Amino acid sequence: MELWFTEEHTKNVRFSIKVEKQLVSKQGDFQRIDVFDTKEFGRILTLDGYLMVTEKDEFIYHEMITHVPMAVNPAIKKVLVIGAGDGGTIRELTRYTSIEWIDMVEIDQEVVNVCKEYLPQTACKLEDERVHIHYEDGLKFVRKPVNMYDLIIVDSTDPFGPGEGLFTKEFYGNCFKALTDQGILINQHESPYYESDANAMQRAHRNIKAVFPVSEVYQMHIPTYPSGHWMFGFASKGLSPIKDLNAEWWNQLGLETRYYNTDLHLGAFALPNYVKKLLMECE
Ligand code: SAM
């Protein structure tokens, strides 16, 4: 008998991975959590049946969500991470000795518990003494701080279920307020390819543009996400991801990465024409 994990990427497209073994399946307060072992992608985590992390390609997502802003502002010391229960973003951030404090706000404690037990590859730095985990809704958490964080990373699920509020104008407005003058917001920006993902990407872009003077989008290749073509947003009060890239500083750190480098940093902001058009429609 064969066991397969299948995710619907659209009503007419499905993506399947052959499963060796199911390790966990639990219905938490916020979402259903599953962990599987697979031959092709190693261990994988799904939430409500949507693929979040695979051991094989998580490095692409987590390197691109952290090293892009860090290479733009070496003075980043205080960071807020929203979501990110698998720990991959925290693992990359804790490689910077210059970072002094990280608040991580994850709505679902069960995701963190499961990842600590089954996904040590990503969860390995959640105990770092600079990391302070708050189990609450990021939408509410971000209403309080003012001028407090140099970097906010929104490493969320998609814009439905618990993640829905993290794509709203109210949320981005509060992020603006919570950031310092040199602050940067990086967000999970969906994909331009399939229509429903492209609509979500446009909605997010429109809402961020309404709040931040600098609002750029960059791309990467994530084989297990719908279409494989995924985007993050880079928003700031003034810093440019291109003009302010401090390649010399970042390269002298000597961090070993598998996907990110400072040439790719610049290239990732060069977008295909159809993506530019989608983003221009948000003007
Ligand atoms: N790093 C992952 C990847 O590679 O795709 C992304 C997903 S991470 C598991 C997303 C996390 O966001 C989930 O653990 C989910 O519980 C959390 N989340 C969703 N909505 C949230 C909210 N409103 N506030 C805080 N965390 C939220």
Side-chain angles (χ1 to χ4, degrees), residues 132-145:
H132 307 269
I133 306 184
H134 311 262
Y135 292 109
E136 58 178 281
D137 187 341
L139 180 65
K140 289 201 184 119
F141 185 94
V142 86
R143 285 182 186 142
K144 290 160 271 174

Side-chain angles (χ1 to χ4, degrees), residues 5 19 21-23 34-38 42-46:
F5 162 77
V19 168
K21 195 173 172 198
Q22 179 159 27
L23 301 170
D34 290 277
V35 178
F36 305 97
D37 268 338
T38 75
R43 201 157 276 184
I44 69 174
L45 166 76
T46 70

Side-chain angles (χ1 to χ4, degrees), residues 30-31 33 45 47 51-54 57-59 61-62 65 81-89 104-112 115 122 134-141 154-158 160-166 171 188 222 225 230 232:
F30 298 97
Q31 53 216 339
I33 305 169
L45 166 76
L47 296 179
L51 196 54
M52 291 289 130
V53 178
T54 83
D57 68 1
E58 58 83 10
F59 70 99
Y61 183 103
H62 294 122
I65 210 166
V81 179
I82 293 177
D86 56 87
T89 296
M104 172 179 145
V105 184
E106 164 60 61
I107 204 167
D108 192 344
Q109 183 162 9
E110 205 48 43
V111 174
V112 174
C115 291
T122 52
H134 311 262
Y135 292 109
E136 58 178 281
D137 187 341
L139 180 65
K140 289 201 184 119
F141 185 94
V154 189
D155 181 359
S156 64
T157 45
D158 293 321
F160 41 81
E164 194 171 352
L166 305 180
F171 174 71
Q188 209 272 87
I222 301 187
Y225 279 10
W230 211 259
F232 288 143

